[in-house]
Amino acid sequence: MLQKEFRHLGELLNYNYENLDNRIFSKFLSTREKLPAHEYASTILKDLLYIDGPIVGEKIVAARLGLNISESPAWSTLLEEIFLKAKYTGIFNTGWDKWWMESINQVFLELTGSNLSSLDAKERVSLLIEKTGLKELKLSEIIDGCRSYRYWTICKSYNKPVDSRECFRAYTKKEPKPWQDHSYISKPGAIDRVGFDEGLDVHSVDYERYRLTIENLKDEGTK
């Protein structure tokens, strides 16, 4: 029975998911009874497609490659040709343009000979231009007040790529599961409270660090 479940999940995702977190599909693989179709659909939607994690959206792909989408005319060519095999083609793919992050990493490694996460954005973009010949790719410039080009997420205040180490975790109504990505607010965005009037806020796990940052700034201003 378990072998059938493995095969069925692979067919639904159109992907060899052996390297994914086992907890994602644990309820299907731990029972000898076949669960109804809506259970598969609900898990794939809620645990893989709604929130970035093993499968990511266009903005996260661009951030991790270091690119400014709006200023990169070659962006669509890069996605549709160079990173085509990373595209999510499983069930519900017509409703979401998504990419397997593991495959993005693999394509980048095969193309450049370097690990994506070991480089900063300037190095990533430079290698992409060199190896693809796509000169119309533009580096996403750093958020004013930040220092790191090691982008890996999106700042919710400015909707721009940022290094998560220069961020506070953002409050979300539903806590991400272990394999899902957290949302972040860059320190400059949080300090200036950009988007806070629209409901954005710092997560409780980072609130004390955020409070101390504000207090330190006030102390420096009084000196």
Side-chain angles (χ1 to χ4, degrees), residues 2 4 12 60 69 86 93 98 102 114 116 141 147 153 162 173 178 195 201 204:
L2 292 183
K4 290 182 180 179
L12 288 173
I60 290 293
I69 295 176
N93 73 82
K98 293 272 190 170
E102 181 184 36
S114 299
L116 184 64
E141 292 298 338
R147 297 180 180 180
T153 188
V162 67
K173 290 182 179 179
D201 204 353
S204 59

Coordinates of all heavy atoms in Angstrom, one line a residue, residues 2 4 12 60 69 86 93 98 102 114 116 141 147 153 162 173 178 195 201 204:
L2 N 1.9 1.2 0.8 CA 2.8 2.4 0.9 C 3.4 2.7 -0.4 O 3.6 3.9 -0.8 CB 3.9 2.2 2.0 CG 3.3 2.2 3.4 CD1 4.5 2.1 4.4 CD2 2.5 3.4 3.7
K4 N 2.2 2.2 -3.3 CA 1.2 2.9 -4.2 C 1.0 4.4 -3.8 O 0.8 5.2 -4.6 CB -0.2 2.1 -4.0 CG -0.2 0.8 -4.6 CD -1.5 0.1 -4.5 CE -1.6 -1.3 -5.1 NZ -2.9 -1.9 -4.9
L12 N 0.9 13.1 -8.7 CA 0.2 14.3 -8.5 C 1.1 15.5 -8.6 O 0.7 16.6 -9.1 CB -0.5 14.3 -7.1 CG -1.7 13.3 -7.0 CD1 -2.2 13.3 -5.6 CD2 -2.9 13.8 -7.9
I60 N 10.2 35.3 -4.8 CA 11.3 34.6 -4.1 C 12.4 34.1 -5.0 O 13.6 34.2 -4.7 CB 10.7 33.5 -3.2 CG1 9.9 34.1 -2.1 CG2 11.9 32.6 -2.6 CD1 10.6 34.9 -1.0
I69 N 13.1 42.3 -11.0 CA 12.3 41.9 -12.1 C 11.9 43.0 -13.0 O 12.0 42.9 -14.2 CB 11.0 41.2 -11.5 CG1 11.3 39.9 -10.8 CG2 10.0 40.9 -12.7 CD1 10.1 39.2 -10.1
A86 N 12.8 23.7 -13.5 CA 12.5 23.9 -12.1 C 11.0 24.2 -11.9 O 10.5 24.3 -10.8 CB 13.3 25.0 -11.5
N93 N -1.2 23.4 -11.2 CA -0.1 24.3 -11.7 C -0.7 25.4 -12.6 O 0.0 26.4 -12.7 CB 0.9 23.4 -12.5 CG 0.4 23.0 -13.9 OD1 0.4 23.7 -14.9 ND2 -0.1 21.7 -13.9
K98 N 4.8 28.6 -10.0 CA 5.7 28.2 -8.9 C 6.9 27.4 -9.4 O 6.8 26.8 -10.5 CB 4.9 27.4 -7.8 CG 3.8 28.2 -7.1 CD 4.4 28.9 -5.9 CE 3.3 29.5 -5.0 NZ 3.8 30.0 -3.7
E102 N 14.6 23.4 -4.8 CA 15.7 22.4 -4.9 C 16.2 22.4 -6.3 O 17.4 22.3 -6.6 CB 15.2 21.0 -4.5 CG 16.3 20.0 -4.6 CD 15.7 18.6 -4.2 OE1 14.6 18.3 -4.6 OE2 16.5 17.8 -3.6
S114 N 28.7 26.9 -9.1 CA 28.7 27.4 -7.8 C 27.3 27.2 -7.1 O 26.3 27.1 -7.7 CB 28.9 29.0 -7.8 OG 30.2 29.2 -8.3
L116 N 24.2 28.4 -5.1 CA 23.5 29.7 -5.0 C 23.6 30.3 -3.6 O 23.9 31.5 -3.5 CB 22.0 29.4 -5.3 CG 21.1 30.6 -5.4 CD1 21.5 31.5 -6.6 CD2 19.7 30.2 -5.6
E141 N 19.0 46.4 -6.1 CA 19.8 47.1 -5.1 C 19.4 47.0 -3.7 O 18.2 46.7 -3.4 CB 19.8 48.6 -5.5 CG 20.5 48.9 -6.9 CD 22.0 48.6 -6.9 OE1 22.6 48.5 -5.8 OE2 22.5 48.4 -8.0
R147 N 22.9 46.2 4.8 CA 24.2 46.1 4.4 C 24.5 44.8 3.5 O 25.4 44.8 2.8 CB 25.1 46.0 5.6 CG 25.1 47.3 6.5 CD 26.1 47.1 7.7 NE 26.1 48.3 8.5 CZ 26.8 48.4 9.6 NH1 27.5 47.4 10.0 NH2 26.8 49.6 10.3
T153 N 15.0 36.4 1.0 CA 13.6 36.6 1.2 C 13.2 37.9 0.8 O 13.9 38.7 0.1 CB 13.3 36.4 2.7 OG1 11.9 36.3 2.9 CG2 13.9 37.4 3.6
V162 N 15.9 40.9 0.5 CA 16.7 41.3 1.7 C 17.3 40.0 2.3 O 16.8 38.9 2.1 CB 15.8 42.0 2.7 CG1 14.7 41.0 3.3 CG2 16.6 42.6 3.8
K173 N -1.1 35.4 10.7 CA -2.2 34.9 11.4 C -2.1 33.4 11.7 O -2.5 32.9 12.7 CB -3.5 35.1 10.6 CG -3.9 36.6 10.5 CD -5.2 36.7 9.7 CE -5.6 38.2 9.7 NZ -6.9 38.4 8.9
P178 N 7.0 23.6 9.8 CA 8.5 23.6 9.7 C 9.1 23.7 8.4 O 10.3 24.2 8.3 CB 8.8 22.2 10.4 CG 7.6 22.0 11.3 CD 6.5 22.5 10.6
G195 N 4.2 50.2 6.5 CA 3.2 49.1 6.3 C 2.5 48.7 7.6 O 1.5 47.9 7.5
D201 N 3.2 43.8 11.2 CA 3.7 43.9 12.6 C 4.8 42.9 12.8 O 4.9 41.9 12.0 CB 2.6 43.6 13.6 CG 2.9 44.3 15.0 OD1 4.0 44.8 15.1 OD2 2.0 44.3 15.8
S204 N 5.9 38.0 17.6 CA 6.2 38.0 19.1 C 7.6 37.4 19.4 O 8.3 37.9 20.4 CB 5.2 37.2 19.9 OG 5.1 35.9 19.4

